[in-house]
Amino acid sequence: METVQQQLAATIRSYHQKGWSPATSTNYSYRENAASTEIFVSKSGIDKSQFQADDFMGVDFEGRPTPAFEGIKPSAETLIHCVLYDFFPETQVILHSHSIYSVLMSQRFPTTIEFSGYEIQKGFGGQTTHDATVQIPVIPNSQDMVEFSKWMHARRSDFSNHCFVIQNHGAYAWGKNLFEAKRHLETLEYLLEVSWKSQLNS
Amino acid sequence: METVQQQLAATIRSYHQKGWSPATSTNYSYRENAASTEIFVSKSGIDKSQFQADDFMGVDFEGRPTPAFEGIKPSAETLIHCVLYDFFPETQVILHSHSIYSVLMSQRFPTTIEFSGYEIQKGFGGQTTHDATVQIPVIPNSQDMVEFSKWMHARRSDFSNHCFVIQNHGAYAWGKNLFEAKRHLETLEYLLEVSWKSQLNS
Amino acid sequence: METVQQQLAATIRSYHQKGWSPATSTNYSYRENAASTEIFVSKSGIDKSQFQADDFMGVDFEGRPTPAFEGIKPSAETLIHCVLYDFFPETQVILHSHSIYSVLMSQRFPTTIEFSGYEIQKGFGGQTTHDATVQIPVIPNSQDMVEFSKWMHARRSDFSNHCFVIQNHGAYAWGKNLFEAKRHLETLEYLLEVSWKSQLNS
Amino acid sequence: METVQQQLAATIRSYHQKGWSPATSTNYSYRENAASTEIFVSKSGIDKSQFQADDFMGVDFEGRPTPAFEGIKPSAETLIHCVLYDFFPETQVILHSHSIYSVLMSQRFPTTIEFSGYEIQKGFGGQTTHDATVQIPVIPNSQDMVEFSKWMHARRSDFSNHCFVIQNHGAYAWGKNLFEAKRHLETLEYLLEVSWKSQLNS
């Protein structure tokens, strides 16, 4: 039986193969359970084509390494994970992607991306019919994690589909386990690609 | 020697890798033989990247679990499979795809998709020359399986190429064994992609 | 040490993964040596995702099964292989592809496809600089192998780059061994894709 | 523990699978350490789908085979590697790609390719923010390595992002180890693809 960190490491390698995490880009995290105050986040600067289960490190809800991991550098975007676990306490896995189509769609729709009428929209938890419009928030990119956190708080009510996009950067998706987080990210990525290609022709 | 359910599970995993079944989407079925009244359909909510031979369950021609599978939830689209086995009694395998190009082409051609002059059209059983026009029916999407079944009956005579497309949803293809069902689905997917790209340039 | 038929079978499976031979489409052949009058060609109707070394059968230069293979059906396009071995006696391997881009480019350039100035043109045997124009003949598609053979004879002098394209069908490439035939086909496929995408933008 | 040549050979095979080195195209090199005057470069004419650790050969800084490799032909572009090791003495690994998007972008931007505002720009060593414009030099293609070397010298000050593009040919990227060289090449390739697709729609 694989552990969650082994399963998540395998997912990361497979997403690298899809082109969602070129070189050392992207970052990922999980918690052992929904009550835990320790977040395991990917270490900084790991080549995602070779990511292993022991390439995670513990941080607290402020993004500081926990005692067993003192002196190791977590991903620069660790605070984004911290804010999401705070917003959605049932969350146990957070995924990130630098996919081409998330970047292209964020250029075209810099505030909100809408999808309407696609069967696969039901892949987002809470969506029960294709006959609806789903809105995904797009947040500006920033190096300043405090500023970025403020933007996340300002759009918090728009995060109901368990994902958001960052301009010219990529996408985040999460869930109460790896299975659900994958479903949310793969649903989003599919919709971003089909929508981008659809409007090429209109 | 692999069993049919092992071969079908391997096919499902390989189609996931092609991007035809993101996350838990799509569903598949087989029958042990053409006289059997038990249909083995994929269980609801399985991640298709990890689909295994024991992720099928038995249902009857009304889509109700057979005694050995009481209490397990079949795919929400089980009734589509039931209708197809009823229409085409020699069918033993049904495949489904959520491919990007089936969705894009269904937006452009919401009733019927036509292909003309492609060598690969001969991949559809009954087509013997590229010098022909092949018509594939496009059905509206619906959550209501009774309504959907009515639309299938209304287009029944258009199903002669062993496949159809659902608007903004995906494609179904079938055959008297896995080999033939694969040939029909891969032929359709190839034609959808090449036709979509061809008209981008015209 | 792998035999040539094992190496060719592995190449066929890898080309299937690239999308160059959906389902049972395409066909391939080799000869044991350049003096041999027996051609080993892929049997009809094999799923190329699972092609094995024993899925070849012997035929003579008229395309008739050799004694050990009586009663087995060779690929429908066997005569194309026979003509090519006759045209180019040093040839020992012939590859075929149903790639999307060969079809798209044949629609746009129904008689001759030209490439100019690409470094990779040097992948065609006899081309020694990128600073040249390479012409690849495009032949109409036909079910009638006798008619098709006449068209091949009419364009014979245009076959100097070891490959040609068939309208709405695919590409053939060949060489004195598998290494060279692969180089010719992969060079052609690369140029077809980059040329198609280049003109989308012009 | 894999050696650097084993790791580099595995990288080459994986880049072939991405379509960055069709057939025998592209070439690669490494040095054992930054003080070494022997460069190990890929031999000429190796199929990159099967590249092995012993497909490298030693050359000196003039591109001549070192004694153990007398009589073996190095890649035709060996002198490009020699110039780069001379320009950037800390370099230990040089990668090359014939990607479709490097060719397409070099057609559109024949002198300099610019990227602005993309998160992934930080993958280039020395770039610390997405909020910048990165310029990548494009060099004309030439068979004449002496002429090509002159062009490299003329643009030397533009090579600060550890990569450059050759018109209708491909891209080079380098680093002080394989990890860094991969990060530079994958960052460049990602940006070339997203920029190409972005401008298709504008």
Side-chain angles (χ1 to χ4, degrees), chain D residues 139-176:
Chain D
I139 308 275
N141 198 13
S142 176
Q143 308 257 77
D144 179 342
M145 285 296 117
V146 175
E147 182 178 40
F148 197 89
S149 169
K150 277 186 199 160
W151 291 333
M152 288 175 74
H153 279 83
R155 297 296 298 271
R156 180 177 180 165
S157 62
D158 301 334
F159 284 16
S160 58
N161 287 302
H162 321 282
C163 59
F164 69 95
V165 169
I166 310 174
Q167 283 172 17
N168 282 323
H169 179 148
Y172 275 91
W174 54 89
K176 63 178 188 287

Side-chain angles (χ1 to χ4, degrees), chain B:
Chain B
M1 186 67 184
E2 285 192 311
T3 61
V4 65
Q5 61 264 58
Q6 286 173 323
Q7 291 173 347
L8 182 48
T11 299
I12 292 169
R13 292 191 302 272
S14 81
Y15 285 174
H16 175 85
Q17 282 202 309
K18 285 181 197 278
W20 293 358
S21 53
T24 61
S25 69
T26 66
N27 43 81
Y28 305 86
S29 72
Y30 69 94
R31 288 194 298 170
E32 300 277 354
N33 58 69
S36 172
T37 58
E38 185 173 27
I39 299 166
F40 290 93
V41 68
S42 48
K43 294 173 187 169
S44 180
I46 305 289
D47 185 327
K48 297 306 183 294
S49 69
Q50 301 174 30
F51 197 91
Q52 299 299 327
D54 59 4
D55 289 326
F56 292 103
M57 64 178 288
V59 297
D60 64 19
F61 266 58
E62 311 293 320
R64 293 170 303 219
T66 49
F69 299 93
E70 292 262 339
I72 304 176
K73 193 181 169 195
S75 163
E77 294 174 20
T78 295
L79 274 177
I80 296 177
H81 294 253
C82 296
V83 170
L84 289 171
Y85 287 114
D86 178 52
F87 279 6
F88 305 106
E90 75 282 13
T91 298
Q92 288 191 45
V93 173
I94 299 176
L95 302 174
H96 182 26
S97 148
H98 279 201
S99 72
I100 294 282
Y101 295 105
S102 64
V103 168
L104 292 169
M105 286 292 280
S106 77
Q107 292 174 348
R108 191 162 176 86
F109 303 102
T111 307
T112 301
I113 298 168
E114 285 193 357
F115 307 113
S116 286
Y118 290 100
E119 172 67 13
I120 205 129
Q121 293 170 202
K122 293 189 284 183
F124 292 127
Q127 299 290 338
T128 57
T129 171
H130 65 278
D131 196 11
T133 296
V134 170
Q135 295 183 314
I136 308 297
V138 183
I139 307 276
N141 198 13
S142 176
Q143 308 257 81
D144 178 341
M145 285 298 118
V146 175
E147 182 179 42
F148 197 89
S149 170
K150 278 187 198 158
W151 290 334
M152 289 175 75
H153 278 83
R155 298 296 297 271
R156 179 177 181 164
S157 62
D158 300 334
F159 283 17
S160 58
N161 288 302
H162 321 282
C163 60
F164 70 93
V165 170
I166 309 175
Q167 283 173 16
N168 282 323
H169 180 148
Y172 274 91
W174 53 89
K176 63 178 188 285
N177 50 37
L178 176 57
F179 172 84
E180 193 180 275
K182 279 184 73 178
R183 200 183 70 220
H184 293 154
L185 184 60
E186 294 181 22
T187 296
L188 175 61
E189 293 291 347
Y190 178 97
L191 286 164
L192 291 167
E193 179 177 353
V194 78
S195 295
W196 174 261
K197 290 185 174 171
S198 178
Q199 50 89 21
L200 271 188
N201 207 42
S202 60

Side-chain angles (χ1 to χ4, degrees), chain C residues 7 11 17-18 116-120 122-123 128-131 178-179 182-184 186-187 189-191 193-201, chain D residues 16-17 19-25 45-47 49-50 77 98-104 107-108 141-143 167-170 196 199-200:
Chain C
Q7 291 173 346
T11 298
Q17 281 200 310
K18 284 181 199 278
S116 286
Y118 290 100
E119 172 69 12
I120 205 129
K122 293 190 285 184
T128 58
T129 171
H130 65 278
D131 196 11
L178 177 57
F179 172 84
K182 278 185 73 177
R183 201 183 68 220
H184 293 154
E186 294 181 22
T187 296
E189 292 292 347
Y190 179 97
L191 287 164
E193 180 177 353
V194 79
S195 295
W196 174 260
K197 291 185 174 172
S198 179
Q199 50 90 21
L200 271 188
N201 208 41
Chain D
H16 174 86
Q17 281 201 310
W20 294 358
S21 54
T24 62
S25 70
I46 306 290
D47 186 326
S49 69
Q50 301 174 29
E77 295 173 21
H98 279 202
S99 71
I100 294 282
Y101 294 105
S102 64
V103 167
L104 292 169
Q107 292 175 349
R108 189 160 177 87
N141 198 13
S142 176
Q143 308 257 77
Q167 283 172 17
N168 282 323
H169 179 148
W196 175 260
Q199 49 90 22
L200 270 189

Side-chain angles (χ1 to χ4, degrees), chain D residues 169-198:
Chain D
H169 179 148
Y172 275 91
W174 54 89
K176 63 178 188 287
N177 50 37
L178 176 57
F179 172 84
E180 193 181 274
K182 278 184 73 179
R183 200 184 69 221
H184 293 154
L185 183 61
E186 293 180 24
T187 296
L188 176 62
E189 293 292 347
Y190 178 97
L191 286 164
L192 291 166
E193 179 176 353
V194 79
S195 294
W196 175 260
K197 290 185 175 172
S198 178

Side-chain angles (χ1 to χ4, degrees), chain C residues 29-56:
Chain C
S29 71
Y30 69 94
R31 289 194 298 169
E32 300 276 354
N33 58 68
S36 173
T37 59
E38 185 174 26
I39 299 165
F40 290 93
V41 68
S42 47
K43 295 173 187 170
S44 181
I46 306 289
D47 185 327
K48 296 308 183 293
S49 69
Q50 300 174 29
F51 197 90
Q52 298 299 326
D54 60 3
D55 288 327
F56 293 103

Side-chain angles (χ1 to χ4, degrees), chain C:
Chain C
M1 186 67 183
E2 285 192 311
T3 62
V4 64
Q5 61 265 56
Q6 287 171 324
Q7 291 173 346
L8 182 48
T11 298
I12 292 168
R13 292 191 302 270
S14 81
Y15 285 174
H16 175 85
Q17 281 200 310
K18 284 181 199 278
W20 293 359
S21 53
T24 61
S25 69
T26 68
N27 44 80
Y28 306 86
S29 71
Y30 69 94
R31 289 194 298 169
E32 300 276 354
N33 58 68
S36 173
T37 59
E38 185 174 26
I39 299 165
F40 290 93
V41 68
S42 47
K43 295 173 187 170
S44 181
I46 306 289
D47 185 327
K48 296 308 183 293
S49 69
Q50 300 174 29
F51 197 90
Q52 298 299 326
D54 60 3
D55 288 327
F56 293 103
M57 64 177 288
V59 297
D60 64 20
F61 267 59
E62 310 293 320
R64 293 170 302 219
T66 49
F69 299 94
E70 293 261 338
I72 304 176
K73 192 180 169 195
S75 162
E77 293 173 22
T78 294
L79 272 178
I80 295 177
H81 295 253
C82 296
V83 171
L84 289 171
Y85 286 114
D86 179 52
F87 279 7
F88 306 106
E90 75 283 13
T91 298
Q92 289 192 44
V93 173
I94 300 176
L95 302 174
H96 182 25
S97 149
H98 279 202
S99 73
I100 294 281
Y101 295 105
S102 64
V103 168
L104 292 168
M105 286 292 281
S106 78
Q107 291 174 349
R108 189 159 177 89
F109 303 102
T111 308
T112 300
I113 298 168
E114 285 193 356
F115 308 113
S116 286
Y118 290 100
E119 172 69 12
I120 205 129
Q121 292 170 203
K122 293 190 285 184
F124 292 129
Q127 299 290 338
T128 58
T129 171
H130 65 278
D131 196 11
T133 296
V134 172
Q135 294 183 315
I136 309 297
V138 183
I139 307 276
N141 198 13
S142 176
Q143 308 258 80
D144 178 342
M145 285 297 117
V146 175
E147 183 178 41
F148 197 89
S149 169
K150 277 187 198 158
W151 290 334
M152 288 174 75
H153 279 84
R155 298 295 298 270
R156 179 176 181 165
S157 62
D158 300 333
F159 283 16
S160 57
N161 288 301
H162 322 282
C163 60
F164 69 94
V165 170
I166 310 175
Q167 283 171 16
N168 282 324
H169 179 149
Y172 275 90
W174 53 90
K176 64 178 187 286
N177 49 38
L178 177 57
F179 172 84
E180 193 180 274
K182 278 185 73 177
R183 201 183 68 220
H184 293 154
L185 183 61
E186 294 181 22
T187 296
L188 176 61
E189 292 292 347
Y190 179 97
L191 287 164
L192 292 167
E193 180 177 353
V194 79
S195 295
W196 174 260
K197 291 185 174 172
S198 179
Q199 50 90 21
L200 271 188
N201 208 41
S202 61

